[in-house]
Amino acid sequence: MFLDLINIQKVRRAILYLLVIALTVWMQFSLLPDLRILGVKPFFAPVAAVAIGLWEGGVWGGVLGLLTGLSCDLALNESTVTFLILFAAFGFFAGVLGSYVINRRFFSFLLLSAAALLLTALVQAAPFWLFRGVSLDTLLPIALLQTLWSVPFAVPAYYLCKKISGKRRIN
Amino acid sequence: MKLKHYLSKYGPRLAVVVLIVALIVGLATAALEGRAGFLRNSGETLTSPLQKATTAVLDWLESLYGYIYQYDRIVEENNSLKAENARLREQSRSFSELEAENARYRELLGFREKHTDFDLASAKIVSWDASNYTSAFTISKGSDEGLELGDCVITEYGALVGQIIELGTDWSTVRTVIDVDMDVGALVGVYSYAGMVTGEFTLMKRGQTRLAYLSSGAQIFEGDEVLTSGKGGSFPAGLLIGVISAVMTEAGGQATYGIIEPAVDVGQLSQVFIIRDFTISE
């Protein structure tokens, strides 16, 4: 009787998304923490929040984005709550855009992910420009390369979340 | 549900949740001052074996890659010797790993004899920081092994690697000497001029750091050794930081600073030594 109160499908999806987040965070911080291309490391964790938001809507995207961001904030030394706020916003707005403004096709997701990745890279670089006097000439190439190297990781995130959500794309 | 209604219904709710969580995390981080909180510590403790396993698997894959590459060459050269050759190479690889570790301990022994006041602990690097804006890594030991926040980290030769900035029970985060937030009191040149080693972003990306705030009248030259001054008590005096590779003038033309080529190639480290205790001599 108690089980009747639980939406098993939703719980199953939530668990699977938590596994996706765990896998993303593990890949980001344990498996590929020092994967450098031209001296720059990718930072692809935001794509998990965007993918979940796009396929599950703003609320799921926001909450699970918050968890992804919290995990990243705990794992990285440079920030305390930056990613928590940023990824929750990414998940929420990806959900809103996916539900009302854009379709859920792969290229829409890729553009959305690229925007989120670029914004993350710029937010990471901003304190160095604002408070440490590092020139934009130095910071922008790093931010752009970081975005570029991170985009390929969006591909598995898209198809994984699409599979979990069990939804077909909405045009 | 319409977009406007959706935004006005869920937007503020999510914002409140995010703000509350951010506030809790922010306050907890500020209160802990570098000591890992329950959440972070639990997370690291849970992932620590996984991280060690990942490092071991990656090392194995790396050696496997080298093995396959060399094996192919051997096959081309001499088919009959390939099995024997591969076995010997495998053996040689494991020997050279052990030999390298042995050599590190032998160097350390010599270093220990010179610095009998140092209480040292060794640790392996388990992961590197994933950020492009810091230079830090995680080691396999923490407060359970008697490590403390601010402990100095060196190589077997006594060259400065960095400092512990975050402490868990069985892990610690080490900020390297080239990190932008690193500040170390230093002495340079034959006359031991005082200065400060301070990280700079552009130099960090090149694996270098900077010697600034030199005492008045100080003259520095390329090739001058930079040592820790020991002032402040965080670092023992006399540890090698690096060598001056260039002498520069600040934009205003008033002050001189030096670019330091660190004595340690941070990217090549696999094992480090932590000075748990030492005699302060100022």
Side-chain angles (χ1 to χ4, degrees):
Chain A
M1 195 178 80
F2 180 68
L3 280 176
D4 293 340
L5 299 172
I6 301 169
N7 185 334
I8 298 290
Q9 282 304 312
K10 270 193 179 179
V11 173
R12 186 184 145 272
R13 280 193 350 253
I15 291 169
L16 288 174
Y17 283 127
L18 287 175
L19 285 175
V20 169
I21 293 170
L23 182 73
T24 309
V25 172
W26 174 70
M27 278 182 67
Q28 178 73 72
F29 296 102
S30 290
L31 192 65
L32 308 166
D34 206 30
L35 175 80
R36 288 168 197 265
I37 309 171
L38 295 178
V40 177
K41 304 173 199 175
F43 189 70
F44 50 83
V47 298
V50 175
I52 295 168
L54 190 75
W55 286 108
E56 291 294 343
V59 176
W60 280 58
V63 173
L64 293 171
L66 186 143
L67 281 176
T68 314
L70 180 63
S71 309
C72 291
D73 279 324
L74 291 172
L76 272 177
N77 298 308
E78 67 188 63
S79 61
T80 48
V81 293
T82 316
F83 297 129
L84 185 155
I85 296 167
L86 206 60
F87 294 2
F90 287 162
F92 181 70
F93 286 111
V96 172
L97 290 172
S99 305
Y100 296 100
V101 185
I102 59 168
N103 59 42
R104 287 181 179 138
R105 286 183 178 176
F106 178 68
F107 284 102
S108 310
F109 167 75
L110 213 57
L111 283 176
L112 209 58
S113 293
L117 290 167
L118 183 63
L119 200 59
T120 307
L122 292 175
V123 166
Q124 282 181 288
F128 289 85
W129 178 56
L130 293 171
F131 307 118
R132 290 179 188 273
V134 181
S135 73
L136 286 175
D137 295 349
T138 309
L139 292 169
L140 284 180
I142 294 170
L144 288 172
L145 281 176
Q146 181 181 309
T147 306
L148 204 63
W149 302 154
S150 308
V151 167
F153 293 92
V155 181
Y158 175 81
Y159 289 106
L160 208 56
C161 292
K162 182 183 176 184
K163 182 84 182 158
I164 295 168
S165 76
K167 286 176 190 164
R168 293 168 68 85
R169 68 171 189 238
I170 300 166
N171 292 316
Chain B
M1 200 184 293
K2 285 188 175 171
L3 172 62
K4 206 172 166 184
H5 182 59
Y6 186 94
L7 282 173
S8 60
K9 186 179 176 190
Y10 295 113
R13 287 183 194 177
L14 186 71
V16 169
V17 173
V18 168
L19 279 177
I20 291 169
V21 177
L23 206 64
I24 293 168
V25 173
L27 288 173
T29 310
L32 289 165
E33 289 175 335
R35 273 177 181 76
F38 170 74
L39 202 60
R40 172 101 161 97
N41 213 359
S42 311
E44 279 288 340
T45 306
L46 281 172
T47 55
S48 181
L50 195 66
Q51 216 161 42
K52 282 175 191 165
T54 308
T55 311
V57 170
L58 287 176
D59 286 349
W60 180 77
L61 283 174
E62 214 172 278
S63 70
L64 190 71
Y65 173 77
Y67 171 82
I68 290 165
Y69 174 73
Q70 287 176 30
Y71 182 83
D72 283 347
R73 270 182 45 209
I74 294 159
V75 168
E76 281 172 19
E77 285 169 17
N78 192 339
N79 259 339
S80 63
L81 284 173
K82 71 177 182 185
E84 181 64 10
N85 217 344
R87 193 181 63 79
L88 288 172
R89 277 175 185 276
E90 177 59 43
Q91 213 169 36
S92 148
R93 249 190 310 278
S94 60
F95 279 152
S96 55
E97 264 172 37
L98 285 172
E99 205 179 340
E101 194 164 346
N102 241 338
R104 282 199 288 268
Y105 281 115
R106 267 201 303 272
E107 288 292 340
L108 183 71
L109 197 65
F111 180 74
R112 254 190 229 263
E113 278 166 6
K114 279 185 220 158
H115 298 274
T116 47
D117 59 320
F118 285 5
D119 174 16
L120 293 164
S122 83
K124 291 263 166 107
I125 295 174
V126 289
S127 75
W128 283 88
D129 199 299
S131 168
N132 284 307
Y133 301 91
T134 54
S135 175
F137 55 80
T138 306
I139 55 171
S140 56
K141 286 184 181 164
S143 56
D144 283 353
E145 296 286 330
L147 307 192
E148 286 176 15
L149 266 181
D151 275 356
C152 175
V153 180
I154 57 170
T155 64
E156 63 272 26
Y157 302 104
L160 183 69
V161 173
Q163 188 177 29
I164 292 179
I165 53 160
E166 203 179 8
L167 191 67
T169 50
D170 59 353
W171 59 272
S172 313
T173 305
V174 176
R175 175 190 287 154
T176 77
V177 70
I178 59 170
D179 187 87
V180 287
D181 287 321
M182 194 69 172
D183 289 316
V184 190
L187 299 173
V188 61
V190 283
Y191 295 108
S192 295
Y193 294 117
M196 180 76 89
V197 175
T198 54
E200 191 187 282
F201 184 77
T202 319
L203 293 175
M204 181 185 81
K205 299 305 281 180
R206 301 205 303 250
Q208 297 172 317
T209 187
R210 160 189 159 113
L211 177 72
Y213 309 113
L214 287 158
S215 50
S216 60
Q219 284 187 311
I220 55 171
F221 303 98
E222 276 183 42
D224 279 355
E225 284 194 339
V226 184
L227 307 173
T228 52
S229 67
K231 280 183 182 154
S234 295
F235 300 93
L239 295 176
L240 181 63
I241 299 171
V243 175
I244 299 285
S245 62
V247 180
M248 316 288 279
T249 309
E250 298 276 7
Q254 298 292 309
T256 304
Y257 68 92
I259 291 173
I260 302 172
E261 199 64 52
V264 52
D265 184 354
V266 171
Q268 299 299 314
L269 290 169
S270 59
Q271 186 179 18
V272 291
F273 299 89
I274 302 103
I275 304 176
R276 288 185 289 209
D277 201 12
F278 63 95
T279 310
I280 299 170
S281 52
E282 283 197 59

